[in-house]
Amino acid sequence: SIIMQYIDAAMVGSLGADASAAIGLVTSSSWLLGGLCVSAVTGFSVQAAQFFGAGKTDKAREVFCQAFVMALGFGACLSVTGIVLSPRLPYWLGGEADLCIAASRYFFLFSCALPATQLRQFAGGMLQCSGDMKTPGMLNIAMCMLDIVFNFMLIFPTREIQIFGKSVTLVGAGLGVAGAALGTALSEVVIAVCMLAAACRRFLPSFAFRKEAWKPDPTYYRNAAYISIPVAFEHIVLCGAQVALTFIIAPLGMASIAANSLAVTAESLCYMPGYGIGSAATTLVGQSIGAGRRDLAKSYAWLSVFLGVGLMTVTGVLMFLFSPYVFQMLTPDPGVQALGVQVLRIEAFAEPLYAASIVAAGALRG
């Protein structure tokens, strides 16, 4: 995922600071909608993890059916919301007129893919809570690779490149910023179908024909709301702060917007391991609670937190040392590079305690 984000950012960055700034202008808003997708699933996946831990497989399958219906409806609602907001959002955030056109188009295409994003998050979360971390992991890696391939074809125009001294024509759509959004959207759709197929194979062997499992059950929705609403509120506050930060930075110009956006992308080298360990903590703690082993749940929680802090401290040190080289990969613009390195080195000091907050939150949800 980190490699994909770096390559993705470098592809857009090669088009110039204005292209990076156009995406950076709406990045925090896309995080907000994407975070709500994760929040909606969390309340159901934790229930399923606890049922698996208690050996109540049929109950876990019922949760799957209830969550499937929710994901279809909630993903559609988020998509419509994003599409309606897309024409005006970049202007509200204070972007320059030239940036707003490209940023609006990017956010529109991102919003169109939100139903697929929601279904991918739902299916992946359900597979993880059942103890299968490999299938969603491999499919998400495949999504990253597809994203790179689609972006390579859609961002750049048809061009000649040299391979071993021979000229080769590469066909491209030349869509620029819109191509980056479309490439991501297409990869989301493909992997959502694959992830959903894998989850259905695991959860619905002959069970799919029990109609009562698909009928909305207030108990499951109430339990999901108990977990999901606080998680959603957390995402709204955190991403709302990022949206406000974008509003503050936008008047400083394209270079500042681009540097901020690329610095957050570069920082993913540090915090992505934390989110991975946080997901593992949710599954392990949830299954331990379901099995009635609170002592084991506590041990897993502490182990996860210490592991997360240790890993993100190491990656924070690496990010501080190698930030100039990272920004040389992400953008050819010297002004953006200079600003980005400063931002990245300041962010490095936050990583150890950022890890504690990410992983502890995952354990507490379990």
Side-chain angles (χ1 to χ4, degrees):
S1 177
I2 295 166
I3 292 169
M4 179 272 289
Q5 289 184 46
Y6 274 47
I7 294 174
D8 216 24
M11 285 181 181
V12 175
S14 67
L15 301 176
D18 55 341
S20 295
I23 295 178
L25 190 61
V26 294
T27 294
S28 53
S29 301
S30 64
W31 290 341
L32 176 58
L33 296 184
L36 290 176
C37 289
V38 177
S39 303
V41 170
T42 302
F44 289 96
S45 61
V46 168
Q47 290 182 77
Q50 293 185 353
F51 282 133
F52 272 115
K56 299 177 180 178
T57 308
D58 280 355
K59 288 287 187 181
R61 289 171 174 169
E62 288 180 10
V63 171
F64 177 88
C65 297
Q66 301 288 311
F68 196 171
V69 174
M70 177 281 305
L72 288 172
F74 191 70
C77 290
L78 280 184
S79 180
V80 171
T81 301
I83 289 169
V84 170
L85 293 177
S86 60
R88 301 303 307 168
L89 180 64
Y91 295 95
W92 293 339
L93 293 173
E96 299 174 7
D98 292 341
L99 290 182
C100 288
I101 296 173
S104 293
R105 192 177 297 121
Y106 181 91
F107 194 73
F108 171 80
L109 291 169
F110 166 83
S111 300
C112 288
L114 277 172
T117 302
Q118 179 67 82
L119 288 173
R120 179 180 63 82
Q121 294 284 5
F122 149 71
M126 285 292 160
L127 286 168
Q128 288 175 342
C129 75
S130 72
D132 181 4
M133 307 297 280
K134 292 181 181 179
T135 301
M138 294 305 295
L139 286 174
N140 283 326
I141 288 172
M143 184 180 73
C144 295
M145 294 178 177
L146 281 176
D147 186 40
I148 292 169
V149 172
F150 286 142
N151 282 357
F152 196 72
M153 295 167 58
L154 295 170
I155 292 175
F156 304 108
T158 299
R159 59 211 180 276
E160 298 283 336
I161 65 169
Q162 296 293 322
I163 299 179
F164 301 117
K166 293 185 178 181
S167 182
V168 178
T169 301
L170 288 180
V171 178
L175 298 178
V177 171
L182 188 57
T184 301
L186 289 173
S187 60
E188 282 277 11
V189 170
V190 172
I191 297 304
V193 171
C194 297
M195 196 83 79
L196 200 55
C200 287
R201 280 198 304 270
R202 187 169 183 85
F203 280 85
L204 303 179
S206 75
F207 191 80
F209 301 105
R210 282 180 51 184
K211 293 182 179 179
E212 63 270 20
W214 297 90
K215 185 179 179 180
D217 188 325
T219 302
Y220 292 128
Y221 278 87
R222 185 169 56 250
N223 291 338
Y226 181 75
I227 299 170
S228 290
I229 289 176
V231 174
F233 182 71
E234 174 194 344
H235 278 295
I236 289 169
V237 172
L238 291 175
C239 294
Q242 291 288 348
V243 172
L245 183 61
T246 301
F247 181 78
I248 294 168
I249 291 172
L252 301 178
M254 288 189 295
S256 295
I257 299 172
N260 178 66
S261 175
L262 291 174
V264 173
T265 298
E267 192 194 1
S268 62
L269 174 69
C270 292
Y271 63 70
M272 203 62 73
Y275 279 108
I277 295 170
S279 295
T282 300
T283 298
L284 293 169
V285 171
Q287 291 191 356
S288 299
I289 291 291
R293 292 291 306 278
R294 300 187 72 87
D295 58 327
L296 192 59
K298 187 174 181 180
S299 297
Y300 275 133
W302 280 111
L303 176 64
S304 300
V305 170
F306 285 127
L307 182 59
V309 170
L311 271 178
M312 284 182 59
T313 299
V314 172
T315 55
V317 171
L318 293 174
M319 186 172 73
F320 186 92
L321 295 174
F322 295 103
S323 54
Y325 305 104
V326 169
F327 265 87
Q328 287 174 17
M329 291 189 297
L330 296 179
T331 176
D333 189 297
V336 176
Q337 288 178 9
L339 281 173
V341 169
Q342 292 179 34
V343 172
L344 207 54
R345 284 183 164 168
I346 292 170
E347 288 174 347
F349 289 94
E351 301 309 319
L353 291 181
Y354 189 24
S357 70
I358 292 170
V359 181
L364 288 168
R365 286 171 193 145

